[in-house]
Amino acid sequence: MRTPRTFVAAATLLAACGNAPAGAGAPAPASAAAVEATSPSAAPPPAQQAAGAPAQAPCGALGCLAFDTPAQAFSHVLRSGPRVLAVGESHAQQGAEGVPSATRRFTELFLPALAGRASDLIVELWAADPRCDKEQVARVEGEQRAVTQAQSASNQGEFLALGGEAKRLGVTPHLLVPSCEEYDAIVRAGPDAVTAMLEMIARLTAAKAKALLGREGAAGKMVIAYGGALHNDVAPRPGRERWSFGPELSATTGGKYVELDLIVREFIGDSESWRALPWYPHFDREGHPDKAVLFNPAPGSYALIFPRAEPRAGR
């Protein structure tokens, strides 16, 4: 791509690297103008939360609760009033277009509830500085495409729709803007390019969130970070500490940080990377199929598993 501001896909949780569930990378390249102006077309209205107290029931270990609706589970997550809500997802893969993705569900079901409560949304997409060497940018894009090619073609558009809908609701969307030196460093990393990207994503997101939190008049408003379910870890696994902005932003906010992973039930696999997740051995795939299941593995850390969905035609 050779537009003045080129979006490139962020390489996060990549099954190809054996580090995380399949589909946890970021969307494919997109245009900058699209994220600034696009809003979902013909998107169905967000689900209304049931009146009264959320209907919830214990469902096992790790604080498991089963809710009647995802909106009720999301409301439960927000009870602590976080300053930073770090949302991670496992991206849809090719062949899964008939099942609504986590991005689409967040946009339609949860984002409207954050209007007036959140000031900014950091989306895990990159905007290339037009001053950077185009050959270096293209080489990095090539590294990313190699590990995101198995993803659903709809991922890119849904990330753009998320940014556009946030803007419509009064929540300012932001992108990550790597410096030219950072592109050069990724190219020089050679076989370790993906690791360099992971570290850079965490670093840039933390810096952007801290800048937004530190603005005059920002007190009381929430900053949302949306991307793959790896960089938001509040307690990263050993060896992954440099890939996560969770500990830094938790410290910055005095603990007013929430890690929320959004899991589409139909996408859950039986790979080593899925089995390594703390909630996985406690999740009954066939239990509560029509409920939103919420795990709370650690303070400030949640995994929300959506109810089983009816496939949508034409997705």
Side-chain angles (χ1 to χ4, degrees):
M1 299 181 65
R2 294 294 182 266
T3 53
R5 285 172 61 82
T6 302
F7 278 78
V8 292
T12 54
L13 275 173
L14 303 170
C17 303
N19 288 326
S31 69
V35 96
E36 294 172 353
T38 302
S39 61
S41 59
Q48 299 298 315
Q49 183 169 334
Q56 63 190 58
C59 52
L62 301 183
C64 183
L65 293 172
F67 292 83
D68 287 341
T69 68
Q72 292 169 346
F74 187 59
S75 178
H76 183 86
V77 169
L78 295 181
R79 290 189 311 170
S80 64
R83 289 298 314 285
V84 173
L85 175 64
V87 183
E89 65 163 50
S90 180
H91 297 303
Q93 299 292 281
Q94 291 181 14
E97 288 78 9
V99 178
S101 68
T103 311
R104 184 178 180 91
R105 298 187 208 212
F106 180 83
T107 303
E108 296 174 0
L109 301 179
F110 299 161
L111 189 60
L114 297 173
R117 302 176 66 179
S119 60
D120 300 270
L121 167 71
I122 305 170
V123 182
E124 195 180 291
L125 290 172
W126 303 5
D129 188 323
R131 297 170 296 182
C132 296
D133 182 271
K134 291 181 172 58
E135 182 178 349
Q136 297 289 71
V137 172
R139 290 178 65 181
V140 173
E141 288 179 347
E143 293 282 352
Q144 293 172 316
R145 281 193 293 270
V147 293
T148 60
Q149 60 186 354
Q151 292 181 10
S152 170
S154 66
N155 287 349
Q156 167 188 317
E158 291 183 352
F159 258 58
L160 294 175
L162 169 59
E165 182 66 359
K167 184 175 181 179
R168 190 187 72 81
L169 292 171
V171 180
T172 304
H174 302 272
L175 309 171
L176 304 180
V177 186
S179 68
C180 301
E181 291 76 15
E182 286 162 333
Y183 276 103
D184 292 342
I186 291 171
V187 172
R188 290 196 305 271
D192 296 323
V194 170
T195 297
M197 292 180 203
L198 295 172
E199 295 177 356
M200 186 192 72
I201 292 166
R203 184 173 63 253
L204 292 182
T205 304
K208 186 65 176 179
K210 289 166 72 174
L212 294 171
L213 290 168
R215 292 175 308 175
E216 185 176 354
K221 289 285 188 176
M222 186 189 309
V223 171
I224 310 163
Y226 194 99
L230 171 64
H231 299 297
N232 64 338
D233 289 352
V234 70
R237 288 165 56 185
R240 298 183 177 182
E241 293 86 354
R242 293 169 63 88
W243 300 356
S244 176
F245 52 74
E248 182 176 356
L249 292 183
S250 182
T252 297
T253 59
K256 302 292 283 183
Y257 174 93
V258 164
E259 166 198 349
L260 173 62
D261 290 341
L262 301 181
I263 309 296
V264 175
R265 185 180 297 245
E266 292 86 342
F267 297 171
I268 299 173
D270 191 26
S271 65
E272 179 181 352
S273 53
W274 278 106
R275 291 192 294 271
L277 298 174
W279 53 265
Y280 185 90
H282 306 287
F283 175 62
D284 181 357
R285 190 184 295 267
E286 300 304 322
H288 310 290
D290 59 342
K291 302 288 187 180
V293 175
L294 184 69
F295 287 100
N296 184 196
S301 175
Y302 296 90
L304 194 164
I305 302 170
F306 290 103
R308 184 175 297 160
E310 291 295 331
R312 293 184 180 181
R315 278 184 53 84

